[in-house]
Amino acid sequence: MMDYQSKLNQEVVSLPKSGIREFFELVNNSSDIISLGVGEPDCPAPWDVREAAIYSLEKGETSYTSNLGLLELRKEISTYVESEADVSYRAEDEIIITVGVSEAFDLALRALVNEGDEVIYHEPCYVSYSPSIVMAKGVPVGIKTTIEDKFELTPEALQSVITAKSKILILNFPTNPTGAVLSRESLEGIAKLAIENDLIVFTDEIYRELYYSEEQADGSIKPLLSIASLPGMKERTIFLHGFSKAFAMTGFRLGFACAPAPITDAMMKIHQYSMLCAPIMSQRAAIEALKGGRKLISPMKQRYHSRRDFMIKAFHEMGLECVVPEGAFYAFPKVSSTGLMGKEFALKFLEQYKVAVVPGEAFGEAGQEYIRCCYAESMEVIKEALDRMKQFIDKLPS
Ligand code: PLP
């Protein structure tokens, strides 16, 4: 029998599997489980979007596209990002279409990181950040954010980890798993530090439209401030966005990066040798998504908003500390007050009450006392899951 472990890349061998996937293998092996686990909208993509993909196939569009992606889509992205994030990118050479934000993120890292470069991010954070940095031969430097600071990254905390080897800062607001967003003041402080220390900033804004405080009293929308739009930042920022979350298009696997032309070009080189291009029918669907824009997003967002309010109220009634998430579709209650750490809580709750939630430690050490619950689920499932959680907590020894 071949010794596969010795054949495999040792970096890969030592990488842990995603805490979410590991947990969901348990879920898949049992029946009757309800889940607040996976970070995925409970509804399909809007019909217009699906129809555009169907029409593309009907027309026989089954070819490759340009490596950067369809120019028509890049032009739509340029217009959309300018109106949503107030920063303008050229469709010709500053935008690349990718297979999800996942690929865009990986390309950006591989295009920039040399062995030993330090890559800073705030924790708890999306599960793939640290492993992706390691695979790109960078050194992950996590900054723990706290419930007392509403999980916001402060310029002071950033300052404290910057060294001569710091090269990249990763921001994700609204944050998966905490729903945190930053004030203008904090973003400006962080931008100032990025400029002073010559950092490249990745801003993963995959949840930017799912920001619940953007509706103004007069009914207008004031979208979330992007660090890319601050003075002096466009030239050092990679803006990452995609269609999975706000447009409920996870399975289309489509995202994009906007960045200065030399960086886009370097990312394109890796993309053309590894992925070639994103699927054409998904690109057609994405054009339709952007044309529909807020009109398509708004009904889904309204549902998430009321489910969020319902869920947070229920946690507070159970005596769990939980910051009101300002964006995305996750709540991150602190469960250690029940006497159980997040992982133990999630395992016992799953075993005894058949409800799946994600242990907070999947999002880094800073999440050990927490669990993540996704509220992009039907109200029926949310109510039932929270009902069972109350029973579970009530029966724990005090
Ligand atoms: N970035 C964040 C913060 C996420 O939460 C996710 C998915 O959960 C991704 C990126 C990956 O998204 P995509 O489906 O576009 O690859």
Side-chain angles (χ1 to χ4, degrees), residues 100-102 126 129 172 176 204 206-207 244-245 253-254 330:
V101 172
S102 304
Y126 179 46
Y129 288 169
N172 169 226
N176 173 9
D204 177 348
I206 192 166
Y207 297 101
S244 287
K245 309 294 176 170
R253 306 306 307 122
L254 211 70
Y330 311 105

Side-chain angles (χ1 to χ4, degrees), residues 44-352:
W47 170 245
D48 290 357
V49 169
R50 287 181 273 156
E51 197 178 34
I54 294 167
Y55 185 51
S56 167
L57 281 171
E58 242 175 34
K59 278 192 301 183
E61 285 189 332
T62 53
S63 60
Y64 294 131
T65 68
S66 120
N67 294 130
L68 284 178
L70 293 170
L71 183 59
E72 189 185 342
L73 174 56
R74 284 182 276 138
K75 284 184 174 161
E76 286 292 341
I77 289 172
S78 173
T79 309
Y80 183 79
V81 172
E82 182 150 17
S83 73
E84 285 286 325
D86 199 23
V87 50
S88 122
Y89 291 98
R90 278 192 308 270
E92 289 70 22
D93 59 355
E94 292 184 322
I95 298 173
I96 177 168
I97 316 290
T98 56
V99 178
V101 172
S102 304
E103 194 216 349
F105 183 75
D106 188 47
L107 292 179
L109 281 174
R110 290 204 278 155
L112 286 156
V113 173
N114 286 309
E115 191 158 0
D117 287 341
E118 291 180 358
V119 182
I120 305 169
Y121 57 96
H122 50 102
E123 242 193 35
C125 66
Y126 179 46
V127 290
S128 81
Y129 288 169
S130 176
S132 301
I133 296 165
V134 171
M135 285 190 282
K137 304 230 176 293
V139 179
V141 179
I143 303 176
K144 286 187 183 157
T145 59
T146 63
I147 197 162
E148 291 75 26
D149 284 336
K150 299 204 310 201
F151 297 106
E152 291 170 25
L153 173 65
T154 62
E156 296 71 34
L158 172 59
Q159 172 83 75
S160 72
V161 300
I162 293 177
T163 71
K165 291 191 177 154
S166 307
K167 184 169 202 178
I168 294 167
L169 167 66
I170 298 167
L171 301 179
N172 169 226
F173 298 105
T175 308
N176 173 9
T178 61
V181 302
L182 290 191
S183 65
R184 171 179 281 274
E185 198 189 353
S186 295
L187 267 188
E188 284 176 349
I190 289 168
K192 185 165 174 280
L193 285 173
I195 293 168
E196 280 169 8
N197 294 281
D198 198 20
L199 301 178
I200 296 283
V201 176
F202 295 4
T203 181
D204 177 348
E205 303 194 11
I206 192 166
Y207 297 101
R208 75 160 5 260
E209 295 87 352
L210 304 179
Y211 167 47
Y212 302 103
S213 315
E214 64 185 7
E215 284 87 6
Q216 306 299 292
D218 62 1
S220 65
I221 298 270
K222 190 169 166 223
L224 192 66
L225 180 68
S226 174
I227 196 161
S229 69
L230 295 179
M233 287 309 292
K234 183 192 158 183
E235 67 202 56
R236 60 177 63 255
T237 301
I238 304 185
F239 179 92
L240 303 165
H241 197 2
F243 298 85
S244 287
K245 309 294 176 170
F247 291 101
M249 289 172 63
T250 48
F252 284 85
R253 306 306 307 122
L254 211 70
F256 58 89
C258 304
I263 296 182
T264 306
D265 195 50
M267 290 170 68
M268 203 276 283
K269 274 201 227 164
I270 309 168
H271 174 74
Q272 73 182 4
Y273 294 129
S274 56
M275 213 59 72
L276 228 156
C277 67
I280 187 165
M281 54 294 251
S282 296
Q283 294 191 51
R284 289 282 179 221
I287 292 172
E288 203 52 43
L290 294 181
K291 283 189 173 146
R294 291 277 175 172
K295 243 187 11 263
L296 299 180
I297 295 169
S298 173
M300 296 187 269
K301 186 174 167 192
Q302 275 169 22
R303 290 199 294 273
Y304 302 148
H305 198 157
S306 53
R307 294 169 194 177
R308 175 197 77 165
D309 292 347
F310 181 85
M311 187 179 266
I312 301 302
K313 186 161 170 273
F315 286 143
H316 288 164
E317 282 168 5
M318 286 178 222
L320 299 179
E321 202 180 340
C322 185
V323 175
V324 179
E326 290 206 56
F329 40 50
Y330 311 105
F332 204 59
K334 185 170 183 176
V335 293
S336 53
S337 57
T338 65
L340 300 176
M341 294 299 268
K343 187 161 188 184
E344 233 186 323
F345 185 103
L347 279 171
K348 289 200 163 133
F349 187 37
L350 178 64
E351 269 162 29
Q352 297 172 17

